[in-house]
Amino acid sequence: MDGFGNLPEEVLCHILSFLTTKEAALTSVLSKRWLNLWKLVPNIDIDDSVFLYPEEGKREKEGILQCFMDFVDKVLALQGDSPIERFSLKCETGIDKDRVNGWICNVLRRGVSDLELSLDYSGYDSDSDEIYCLPEELFESKTLVDLKLRSEEYGVNWWRGGEYTCLPLLKTLEIDAEWITCDELEMFLPAFPVLEELYLADKKWLWNETVSSSSLRKLTIYASGFESYLNPESISFDTPSLVYLEYSDFVAADYPKVNLTNLVEAHIRLMVTEGQVNLIRAPNDEDDGFLRLRNVWKLISGIRNVQKLFFTADALEVLSLCCESMPVFNNLKFLCIKSDKERGWQAMPVLLRNCPHLETLVFEDLSHYVTDKCGDACDCIPREDKGSLRSSCPVKYMKITGFRGTIKEMKMITHFLEYFPCLKEMNIYVEENDPTEFEVPGRLKLVRQFWMFYDEFFICYVKLLVSPEVYKKWPPE
Ligand SMILES: *[C@@H]1O[C@H](CO)[C@@H](O)[C@H](O)[C@H]1NC(C)=O
Ligand SMILES: *[C@@H]1O[C@H](CO)[C@@H](O)[C@H](O)[C@H]1NC(C)=O
C-alpha cells in the first residue's frame, strides 16, 4: 500500500469511492490513515448479500442480520454529516424496516443526489401484513437527481399523492417492480418538473392514462394492459420533448392525443392475443373489437417523425390495420423488423413504400405467416406485377439475422437483391441457437453457389456471417 500512501486525500477518497462499502471497510484494516479516509467517501454501496453470503446459509445464522445492521449503522455514524453523493442499498427480508428507513433518511439529510434502492420485503412483522412504505422524506428531497427503485417479489408503496410529493431536481426515475404502486401518470408526473428519463417496468395502467410532460426526453414503458391483461381504454402521449420511446403494451382501444413531435427513436412492442390476430386478419367494420384495434393508426401517425424505428412481429401484424392510413415516414433512415412465423407481413409493402429515405433495413429472422399482400415485399406468392417496390425503395444496407439456409429464405433474399435497386451491402447472419438446414446434404454447396453468383453478377456486396461455434458443426464440403 506504500505507493498509494503518498497520494493526496482527495485522490484516495476517489479511489475508495469505486469500491463497495465492504471492500472500502477492509482497506481500513491496512492503515490508520485509510481508516479515517474511507469514512469520507461520497459513495456508499451496500448489498446485504455481499455481507450475508446467502448461498452458504450464513443468513440464517443467529445474530448475523443484527451484525449487518449494526455495521451499516456504524458506517453512517462514522460519516457524520459529511456530504454524500450516491447511496445504493440492496436488502431483503429480515432487515428491520425502520432501520432501513433511518438509513435512507440519513443520506437524504446529507444531500444525496443518486439513490438506488433494491428492497425485497415480505411483511417483516409476521403478524402484520402491512406493505412496506418508503419514508416521507424521500418524497420531498431537494437534492435527488437520480432515483432507482427495484423490488422483485414484494410490494413497496412509494407514492404519497401528488400534493405531498415534489422532487424539483429529479432527472432520472427508474421503477423496476411489478408491485411498486404509484398513481396514474397524469397525477404522478407533475411532481417531477424537470424529469428527463422515466423507466417503468411492469406498469399496470389504472384507467385512461396520459403521459404528459414537457421535460421528458427518454421514456421506457413495459406495460401489461389494464388490470389482468385487458386492453387499456385510452393512452395518450403528450410529450413534445421526447426523443426516445420504448413502448410495450397491449394495444389500447384509443390513442386520443399523441404529441411526439421531436421523437428520434421508437421501439414499438405492441402485443396481441390470438383472438385479436383473427380479428385483424378478417377485417369487419361491424365488430366493435376490430374498430377499437384500428385506432392504433393514431399512435403510428404520431411517431411519423422518427429516424430510427423498431417493430416486433406483433406490432407489424397490428400495423396491417393502418395500411390505408399509413403515414409517410419522411425522416426514417433505419428500420428494424423482428419477424415470427406466426405473424404476418401484410403491412410490409405499404410500410416500405412510405419510407422514402430509408437507408438501413434489418430483419431479425425472415420467417412470417403468409398473407395476401406480403408477396409484394417478399417471394411468398408469385406475382406478375412484382416490382412495385422497385422504384421506391432506396435501401442501401440490409442486415438479416437468424438465417437457417432454407430455400424459402434464399428466394426472399434473391427478391430483395433484385428489387432494391440502391442496395450496396447485405450482411446475413447464420442462426446460432435454433436448428438450421445446413446439415441437409448438398445445402451448403447450394448456398455457396448462390453466393458466388451474386458476388459475380450484382453490384451489391453480400456477406454470409457465421460464428466459429456454428461453423465447426457444419459438415465438410
Ligand atoms: C376513457 O376514454 C374513453 C375514450 O377516450 C371514454 O369513452 C371513457 O369515458 C373514458 N373513461 C373514463 C373513466 O374516463
Ligand atoms: C405538441 O406540443 C407542442 C408544445 O406544447 C405544441 O407547440 C404543438 O402544437 C403540439 N403539437 C400537437 C400535434 O399537438
Side-chain angles (χ1 to χ4, degrees), residues 243-246 263-268 303 306 308-311:
V243 291
Y244 178 96
L245 173 68
E246 205 173 323
L263 200 63
V264 174
E265 181 169 337
H267 298 246
I268 305 295
I303 61 168
V306 289
K308 236 177 148 173
L309 186 52
F310 297 77
F311 282 121

Side-chain angles (χ1 to χ4, degrees), residues 147-286:
L147 176 58
K148 291 194 181 73
L149 298 171
R150 242 172 251 130
S151 180
E152 275 168 26
E153 284 179 60
Y154 301 109
V156 172
N157 184 359
W158 98 283
W159 183 237
R160 301 182 64 228
E163 65 265 49
Y164 303 109
T165 307
C166 185
L167 299 175
L169 293 188
L170 196 72
K171 286 215 167 109
T172 307
L173 175 59
E174 191 178 311
I175 300 184
D176 190 353
E178 187 171 358
W179 300 111
I180 290 183
T181 50
C182 63
D183 210 340
E184 282 173 75
L185 288 180
E186 217 166 347
M187 313 294 284
F188 174 80
L189 286 175
F192 318 109
V194 299
L195 193 68
E196 291 182 2
E197 274 190 55
L198 176 62
Y199 177 99
L200 295 172
D202 278 320
K203 169 84 185 138
K204 282 206 173 50
W205 303 108
L206 294 181
W207 190 244
N208 288 353
E209 297 225 40
T210 299
V211 186
S212 176
S213 162
S214 56
S215 57
L216 209 58
R217 293 174 56 76
K218 192 169 172 194
L219 173 65
T220 304
I221 295 188
Y222 280 82
S224 45
F226 165 70
E227 276 186 356
S228 60
Y229 303 105
L230 282 178
N231 294 60
E233 267 297 303
S234 110
I235 303 292
S236 288
F237 295 96
D238 187 8
T239 45
S241 307
L242 206 68
V243 291
Y244 178 96
L245 173 68
E246 205 173 323
Y247 174 51
S248 171
D249 197 5
F250 285 90
V251 187
D254 200 5
Y255 294 91
K257 177 161 186 148
V258 182
N259 189 340
L260 295 167
T261 327
N262 289 304
L263 200 63
V264 174
E265 181 169 337
H267 298 246
I268 305 295
R269 306 205 167 102
L270 294 171
M271 297 178 275
V272 277
T273 61
E274 291 309 313
Q276 286 166 343
V277 170
N278 294 336
L279 273 179
I280 291 170
R281 289 184 190 161
N284 176 0
D285 286 349
E286 314 271 284

